[in-house]
Amino acid sequence: VTPEGGKAVSGNSPSAAWEQLYKSSAAGGGELAGVPSVAARAGAACGAKLFSLQHPAIRALTQALPNAAACDRFIAWQGERLAPVQLTPELQLAKRAIATKLLRFPPGVVAQPLTRRMVSTCDACGDEIEVEGNYLVECDKCRVVVHMRCYGLSRPPDGRSWLCDVCRLPGLSSHPPCTLCPRLGGAMKVTADGGWCHLMCATWVPGMCVADAHKMEPIMGRVHKDHRSLLCSICKQPYGACIQCAGSGKCYAAFHPSCARDAGYPMVAVHDEDSDTESESGAAAAAAAAATPGRAAAGTVAGAGGVDS
């Protein structure tokens, strides 16, 4: 520890160094190398201040760590009012990257990589048609393909390098877990509670929506407990939320939307004449007929909350 205007004091730990500094100050009659009352100046400061944890940028990054709220509570306990933290875009990405690295599937859930490559097809809506102002763009790192509007892009890259939101995070070595399915990879957006979710899952699972239809984020909503209790007939895991076959009144096959598409099931939105809306379970009029795989068709499902296709 080097006090301003004084000599460095060493110890085998931070606490030991500060203790040595206080002892030296007391031995010198309250002064150390011309520095008046080191202990008096530092004694009123809490531990957070002593180690610069109150610095706005450091505090913001610390908040992304497990149990970081305790640090804020400690500062507030000292009678201080926390000032709002204004982070630069780089620090915002760094903070989100720290939080994302800590995300894990619940114990017992086995991650399933996406194996079916959607070539020249939007990963969010399943369509390959491009129109003026809504082109298909490809991430230069993970190679996911999305429509501009499906991913919330206001303008095309125009030859510049473009990365999806996950690949933009510094130091991230793998895709984060989706809150609605066990599949890794694909077009994802951040959720309102700091997690990540496939845009496809948010489109097909009833009760999900996006808060900002222009940016297509954050993904939010509340899934009914009946959908969360279903067992996926493909990955055999009761995680996230499943939808069911709409091809027959006798077929109740359940599956994650991403699992169904990865398995090659036809994905079509089924119109409900009684409610004048599209059925939640557009996935797989032919779910049980897995032997007839087809490309996912475009369609906005009831409850998808503004995901355009």
Side-chain angles (χ1 to χ4, degrees):
V1 178
T2 305
E4 183 178 356
K7 296 181 179 180
V9 178
S10 301
N12 57 7
S13 69
S15 297
W18 280 104
E19 184 179 1
Q20 182 64 30
L21 181 65
Y22 294 154
K23 289 180 178 180
S24 300
S25 176
E31 296 187 3
L32 177 64
V35 181
S37 189
V38 174
R41 292 171 56 196
C46 66
K49 277 189 172 181
L50 290 178
F51 296 99
S52 299
L53 296 182
Q54 85 286 359
H55 188 282
I58 296 177
R59 187 172 75 235
L61 293 174
T62 305
Q63 288 172 355
L65 300 174
N67 303 315
C71 179
D72 280 345
R73 287 197 298 268
F74 181 71
I75 296 178
W77 181 73
Q78 297 292 325
E80 300 182 23
R81 176 176 296 179
L82 295 178
V85 179
Q86 298 296 329
L87 296 181
T88 64
E90 291 77 14
L91 284 176
Q92 289 177 354
L93 285 178
K95 180 179 179 179
R96 182 169 292 180
I98 293 174
T100 300
K101 290 178 183 178
L102 299 173
L103 297 176
R104 299 289 187 275
F105 282 116
V109 176
V110 180
Q112 305 287 322
L114 287 170
T115 58
R116 190 165 185 259
R117 181 72 181 275
M118 304 295 290
V119 180
S120 301
T121 302
C122 179
D123 189 86
C125 73
D127 201 357
E128 59 185 5
I129 299 176
E130 295 179 285
V131 296
E132 183 70 26
N134 190 28
Y135 304 108
L136 288 169
V137 296
E138 182 181 30
C139 175
D140 288 322
K141 185 175 181 180
C142 69
R143 298 303 175 186
V144 68
V145 177
V146 290
H147 280 117
M148 292 171 53
R149 292 177 186 170
C150 289
Y151 207 72
L153 299 179
S154 58
R155 55 186 179 182
D158 288 332
R160 300 187 304 271
S161 176
W162 178 77
L163 298 176
C164 68
D165 288 1
V166 173
C167 292
R168 288 177 59 205
L169 299 179
L172 204 65
S173 58
S174 62
H175 273 69
C178 175
T179 59
L180 295 178
C181 80
R183 297 281 170 172
L184 293 177
M188 307 186 78
K189 281 287 188 176
V190 70
T191 63
D193 59 359
W196 290 85
C197 181
H198 292 116
L199 281 169
M200 180 190 182
C201 293
T203 303
W204 286 91
V205 174
M208 301 302 295
C209 65
V210 290
D212 189 330
H214 296 289
K215 296 181 179 179
M216 295 305 292
E217 65 178 38
I219 293 174
M220 57 189 299
R222 187 173 183 178
V223 180
H224 195 275
K225 61 180 181 180
D226 291 345
H227 289 278
R228 291 200 176 274
S229 63
L230 294 172
L231 176 67
C232 178
S233 60
I234 300 172
C235 71
K236 311 298 182 183
Q237 300 187 84
Y239 168 75
C242 292
I243 56 177
Q244 290 179 286
C245 175
S248 169
K250 296 181 180 180
C251 181
Y252 299 98
F255 29 72
H256 298 106
S258 57
C259 288
R261 187 178 67 182
D262 204 51
Y265 288 5
M267 303 282 287
V268 293
V270 180
H271 184 72
D272 187 343
E273 295 181 356
D274 295 332
S275 64
D276 291 329
T277 61
E278 289 174 338
S279 168
E280 62 168 65
S281 50
T292 317
R295 182 181 59 80
T300 302
V301 180
V307 180
D308 298 327
S309 58

Short mmCIF file of all heavy atoms in Angstrom, two decimals, residues 46-49 52-55 59 63 68-83:
data_model
loop_
_atom_site.label_atom_id
_atom_site.label_comp_id
_atom_site.label_asym_id
_atom_site.label_seq_id
_atom_site.Cartn_x
_atom_site.Cartn_y
_atom_site.Cartn_z
N CYS A 46 -15.06 2.67 4.23
CA CYS A 46 -15.41 1.26 4.30
C CYS A 46 -14.46 0.46 3.41
O CYS A 46 -13.70 1.02 2.63
CB CYS A 46 -16.86 1.05 3.86
SG CYS A 46 -17.15 1.43 2.12
N GLY A 47 -14.52 -0.86 3.52
CA GLY A 47 -13.63 -1.71 2.74
C GLY A 47 -13.80 -1.51 1.24
O GLY A 47 -12.84 -1.59 0.47
N ALA A 48 -15.02 -1.25 0.80
CA ALA A 48 -15.25 -1.03 -0.63
C ALA A 48 -14.45 0.16 -1.13
O ALA A 48 -13.87 0.14 -2.21
CB ALA A 48 -16.74 -0.85 -0.90
N LYS A 49 -14.41 1.23 -0.32
CA LYS A 49 -13.67 2.42 -0.73
C LYS A 49 -12.17 2.18 -0.70
O LYS A 49 -11.42 2.66 -1.56
CB LYS A 49 -14.01 3.59 0.17
CG LYS A 49 -15.29 4.32 -0.22
CD LYS A 49 -15.43 5.60 0.57
CE LYS A 49 -16.59 6.43 0.05
NZ LYS A 49 -16.72 7.70 0.81
N SER A 52 -11.22 0.61 -3.92
CA SER A 52 -11.78 1.25 -5.12
C SER A 52 -12.99 0.51 -5.68
O SER A 52 -13.32 0.65 -6.86
CB SER A 52 -10.70 1.36 -6.21
OG SER A 52 -9.63 2.16 -5.77
N LEU A 53 -13.67 -0.29 -4.86
CA LEU A 53 -14.85 -1.01 -5.36
C LEU A 53 -16.03 -0.08 -5.60
O LEU A 53 -17.02 -0.48 -6.18
CB LEU A 53 -15.26 -2.12 -4.37
CG LEU A 53 -14.23 -3.23 -4.16
CD1 LEU A 53 -14.78 -4.27 -3.21
CD2 LEU A 53 -13.85 -3.88 -5.50
N GLN A 54 -15.91 1.18 -5.12
CA GLN A 54 -17.00 2.11 -5.34
C GLN A 54 -16.88 2.80 -6.70
O GLN A 54 -17.78 3.53 -7.11
CB GLN A 54 -17.04 3.16 -4.22
CG GLN A 54 -16.13 4.37 -4.43
CD GLN A 54 -14.66 4.05 -4.22
OE1 GLN A 54 -14.32 2.93 -3.90
NE2 GLN A 54 -13.80 5.04 -4.37
N HIS A 55 -15.78 2.55 -7.43
CA HIS A 55 -15.61 3.15 -8.75
C HIS A 55 -16.76 2.68 -9.65
O HIS A 55 -17.07 1.48 -9.70
CB HIS A 55 -14.27 2.73 -9.35
CG HIS A 55 -13.93 3.46 -10.61
ND1 HIS A 55 -14.49 3.13 -11.82
CD2 HIS A 55 -13.10 4.51 -10.85
CE1 HIS A 55 -14.01 3.93 -12.76
NE2 HIS A 55 -13.16 4.78 -12.19
N ARG A 59 -17.71 -1.15 -10.04
CA ARG A 59 -18.92 -1.60 -9.37
C ARG A 59 -19.89 -2.27 -10.35
O ARG A 59 -20.51 -3.28 -10.05
CB ARG A 59 -19.61 -0.43 -8.68
CG ARG A 59 -20.79 -0.87 -7.81
CD ARG A 59 -21.34 0.27 -6.97
NE ARG A 59 -22.11 1.19 -7.77
CZ ARG A 59 -21.90 2.49 -7.84
NH1 ARG A 59 -20.89 3.02 -7.15
NH2 ARG A 59 -22.65 3.27 -8.57
N GLN A 63 -21.14 -6.13 -10.18
CA GLN A 63 -22.55 -6.49 -10.02
C GLN A 63 -22.94 -7.71 -10.83
O GLN A 63 -23.94 -8.37 -10.53
CB GLN A 63 -23.44 -5.31 -10.43
CG GLN A 63 -23.41 -4.17 -9.42
CD GLN A 63 -24.13 -2.94 -9.94
OE1 GLN A 63 -24.56 -2.91 -11.08
NE2 GLN A 63 -24.26 -1.93 -9.09
N ALA A 68 -23.18 -10.47 -5.91
CA ALA A 68 -22.57 -9.14 -5.91
C ALA A 68 -23.43 -8.10 -5.21
O ALA A 68 -22.94 -7.06 -4.81
CB ALA A 68 -22.29 -8.69 -7.35
N ALA A 69 -24.73 -8.39 -5.07
CA ALA A 69 -25.61 -7.42 -4.42
C ALA A 69 -25.15 -7.13 -2.99
O ALA A 69 -25.44 -6.06 -2.44
CB ALA A 69 -27.05 -7.94 -4.42
N ALA A 70 -24.45 -8.06 -2.38
CA ALA A 70 -23.97 -7.86 -1.02
C ALA A 70 -23.03 -6.66 -0.94
O ALA A 70 -23.01 -5.93 0.05
CB ALA A 70 -23.26 -9.11 -0.52
N CYS A 71 -22.26 -6.46 -2.00
CA CYS A 71 -21.33 -5.31 -2.03
C CYS A 71 -22.12 -4.01 -2.03
O CYS A 71 -21.81 -3.09 -1.30
CB CYS A 71 -20.43 -5.40 -3.26
SG CYS A 71 -19.26 -4.02 -3.41
N ASP A 72 -23.18 -3.94 -2.84
CA ASP A 72 -24.00 -2.75 -2.87
C ASP A 72 -24.69 -2.52 -1.53
O ASP A 72 -24.80 -1.40 -1.05
CB ASP A 72 -25.06 -2.86 -3.98
CG ASP A 72 -24.47 -2.55 -5.35
OD1 ASP A 72 -23.37 -1.98 -5.38
OD2 ASP A 72 -25.11 -2.86 -6.35
N ARG A 73 -25.17 -3.60 -0.92
CA ARG A 73 -25.84 -3.46 0.37
C ARG A 73 -24.86 -2.94 1.43
O ARG A 73 -25.21 -2.16 2.30
CB ARG A 73 -26.43 -4.80 0.81
CG ARG A 73 -27.67 -5.19 0.01
CD ARG A 73 -28.44 -6.28 0.74
NE ARG A 73 -27.66 -7.50 0.89
CZ ARG A 73 -27.68 -8.50 0.02
NH1 ARG A 73 -28.44 -8.42 -1.07
NH2 ARG A 73 -26.95 -9.59 0.22
N PHE A 74 -23.60 -3.37 1.32
CA PHE A 74 -22.61 -2.93 2.29
C PHE A 74 -22.35 -1.44 2.15
O PHE A 74 -22.28 -0.72 3.14
CB PHE A 74 -21.31 -3.70 2.09
CG PHE A 74 -20.23 -3.32 3.08
CD1 PHE A 74 -20.34 -3.69 4.41
CD2 PHE A 74 -19.13 -2.60 2.69
CE1 PHE A 74 -19.36 -3.35 5.33
CE2 PHE A 74 -18.15 -2.24 3.59
CZ PHE A 74 -18.26 -2.62 4.92
N ILE A 75 -22.25 -0.96 0.90
CA ILE A 75 -22.02 0.47 0.68
C ILE A 75 -23.22 1.27 1.17
O ILE A 75 -23.09 2.31 1.81
CB ILE A 75 -21.74 0.74 -0.80
CG1 ILE A 75 -20.42 0.06 -1.22
CG2 ILE A 75 -21.65 2.23 -1.07
CD1 ILE A 75 -20.08 0.24 -2.68
N ALA A 76 -24.44 0.78 0.87
CA ALA A 76 -25.64 1.48 1.30
C ALA A 76 -25.73 1.49 2.83
O ALA A 76 -26.22 2.45 3.42
CB ALA A 76 -26.87 0.80 0.70
N TRP A 77 -25.24 0.42 3.46
CA TRP A 77 -25.26 0.34 4.91
C TRP A 77 -24.40 1.43 5.54
O TRP A 77 -24.65 1.88 6.65
CB TRP A 77 -24.79 -1.04 5.36
CG TRP A 77 -24.80 -1.23 6.84
CD1 TRP A 77 -25.87 -1.40 7.65
CD2 TRP A 77 -23.65 -1.27 7.70
NE1 TRP A 77 -25.49 -1.54 8.96
CE2 TRP A 77 -24.12 -1.47 9.01
CE3 TRP A 77 -22.28 -1.15 7.48
CZ2 TRP A 77 -23.27 -1.55 10.10
CZ3 TRP A 77 -21.42 -1.24 8.57
CH2 TRP A 77 -21.92 -1.43 9.86
N GLN A 78 -23.39 1.86 4.79
CA GLN A 78 -22.52 2.93 5.28
C GLN A 78 -23.17 4.31 5.15
O GLN A 78 -22.56 5.32 5.47
CB GLN A 78 -21.20 2.92 4.51
CG GLN A 78 -20.39 1.66 4.68
CD GLN A 78 -19.86 1.52 6.09
OE1 GLN A 78 -19.52 2.51 6.72
NE2 GLN A 78 -19.82 0.30 6.60
N GLY A 79 -24.41 4.35 4.66
CA GLY A 79 -25.13 5.61 4.56
C GLY A 79 -24.90 6.34 3.26
O GLY A 79 -25.21 7.53 3.14
N GLU A 80 -24.35 5.68 2.25
CA GLU A 80 -24.08 6.32 0.97
C GLU A 80 -25.20 6.03 -0.02
O GLU A 80 -25.80 4.97 -0.01
CB GLU A 80 -22.76 5.82 0.39
CG GLU A 80 -21.56 6.10 1.29
CD GLU A 80 -20.28 5.63 0.64
OE1 GLU A 80 -20.25 5.52 -0.59
OE2 GLU A 80 -19.32 5.36 1.37
N ARG A 81 -25.47 6.99 -0.87
CA ARG A 81 -26.44 6.81 -1.93
C ARG A 81 -25.70 6.44 -3.21
O ARG A 81 -24.80 7.16 -3.64
CB ARG A 81 -27.25 8.09 -2.14
CG ARG A 81 -28.24 8.00 -3.30
CD ARG A 81 -29.10 9.24 -3.42
NE ARG A 81 -29.95 9.41 -2.26
CZ ARG A 81 -30.80 10.43 -2.10
NH1 ARG A 81 -30.86 11.37 -3.04
NH2 ARG A 81 -31.55 10.50 -1.03
N LEU A 82 -26.11 5.32 -3.82
CA LEU A 82 -25.42 4.86 -5.02
C LEU A 82 -25.83 5.71 -6.22
O LEU A 82 -27.01 5.84 -6.53
CB LEU A 82 -25.76 3.39 -5.29
CG LEU A 82 -25.28 2.40 -4.23
CD1 LEU A 82 -25.72 1.00 -4.60
CD2 LEU A 82 -23.78 2.47 -4.10
N ALA A 83 -24.84 6.28 -6.88
CA ALA A 83 -25.12 7.09 -8.07
C ALA A 83 -25.35 6.16 -9.26
O ALA A 83 -24.76 5.09 -9.35
CB ALA A 83 -23.94 8.01 -8.36
#
